[in-house]
Amino acid sequence: MVTPGAKREAVAGLVERFCVSQRRACDVVGVSRRVARYCSTRPDYGPLRQRLRELAADRRRFGYRRLGYLLAREGMVPNHKKLLRIYREEGLKVRRRSGRKRALGTRAPMAIPQGPNQRWSLDFVSDSFVDGRRFRILCVVDDFSRECLTLTADTSLSGARVARELTTLLGQRGKPHTIVSDNGTELTSMAILRWSKERHVEWHYIAPGKPTQNAFVESFNGNASTRRCSLQCAKRGPNWSNGGRITTWSGHTQNWAGRHPPRSPTNGDEGMPPSPLA
């Protein structure tokens, strides 16, 4: 379907190239002269278009709704229909994935925290019971004091659940300036973007495939404290027997079996994990 704008351009081209009247050109193209003479009074929205292009270049997998939340943080709150129209006119539609690709470009470096409760880091660790059921633990670490602020374990931790846990943590510890996380689906969900906008908390995503940019919580996930918490969570399930493996959500697996061999269940210890101090 040819748009009215394309028809107007065709009429103007006929008039200029063949020196015919506008009436004749409109008859050839099949468009009303009123349509050909129409001049749009719609504003250009130049600053909004420019900022939308910049955010889309930084967040290549974000659609117009997620970009709208990022714009709202900066005080730009366009109507969702207007935002979608500009998003399409700028050609920013997210392409369907054909294979695993890495994000290109650079991200702004993070400022070093100068005190506690300025920057938090988030990450997940996961493991499974002997019956195959998976469970996960949400770890939140203060980057300055290296203190573990909360450990939330469950078989399912969605973006909405993470937002609720962070809301509870804000009531206990106060609001941080920045939260750092990877690009997991739970942490880039609409629930998290809406939460960070409403609480006015800056959320920084590390580059895909660069867990070292989230080194504080990755280091915490690799030490014995994470193992002790994981073993305590395993008490909720029967017949714990997993060799002491803890797999971080970034894909790194650490085998603690050689360091803390599990003891064989005897007497009333069936289904109980080995002691972390063994």
Side-chain angles (χ1 to χ4, degrees), residues 57-209:
D58 187 45
R59 305 295 179 200
R60 288 174 170 80
R61 302 305 304 176
F62 277 24
Y64 79 96
R65 286 189 176 89
R66 291 185 179 181
L67 294 175
Y69 279 109
L70 299 181
L71 288 172
R73 293 182 186 176
E74 304 175 6
M76 300 181 180
V77 190
N79 181 278
H80 69 280
K81 294 180 288 186
K82 180 190 301 181
L83 180 62
L84 177 59
R85 175 177 57 81
I86 297 175
Y87 181 82
R88 289 175 173 173
E89 290 176 356
E90 295 296 325
L92 302 177
K93 182 179 179 181
V94 178
R95 296 182 179 179
R96 186 180 298 274
R97 289 183 183 270
S98 58
R100 182 162 183 174
K101 298 180 181 179
R102 301 297 186 185
L104 303 176
T106 58
R107 286 170 168 78
M110 293 184 298
I112 299 176
Q114 302 299 321
N117 213 41
Q118 291 186 3
R119 191 176 72 197
W120 296 351
S121 295
L122 274 68
D123 198 12
F124 292 98
V125 292
S126 65
D127 211 328
S128 61
F129 301 114
V130 70
D131 59 2
R133 289 185 302 149
R134 303 286 297 181
F135 70 91
R136 305 171 65 195
I137 305 173
L138 171 65
C139 307
V140 183
V141 176
D142 190 302
D143 288 356
F144 181 82
S145 63
R146 310 296 198 273
E147 178 186 1
C148 177
L149 303 180
T150 184
L151 289 168
T152 303
D154 208 333
T155 54
S156 176
L157 290 171
S158 62
R161 174 69 183 280
V162 173
R164 291 198 302 269
E165 296 296 334
L166 290 177
T167 301
T168 302
L169 188 59
L170 258 63
Q172 299 172 355
R173 306 298 296 254
K175 184 175 70 173
H177 179 268
T178 307
I179 294 179
V180 184
S181 73
D182 57 17
N183 295 267
T185 55
E186 301 86 356
L187 303 178
T188 58
S189 63
M190 297 292 292
I192 291 297
L193 292 174
R194 188 182 303 111
W195 180 89
S196 62
K197 172 194 170 185
E198 294 174 353
R199 269 68 177 184
H200 304 286
V201 176
E202 181 180 350
W203 200 289
H204 180 87
Y205 294 101
I206 65 174

Side-chain angles (χ1 to χ4, degrees), residues 10-22 24-25 28-29:
V11 169
L14 289 175
V15 171
E16 181 180 355
R17 183 174 180 180
F18 297 100
C19 298
V20 297
S21 66
Q22 189 182 66
R24 176 61 176 166
V28 172
V29 177

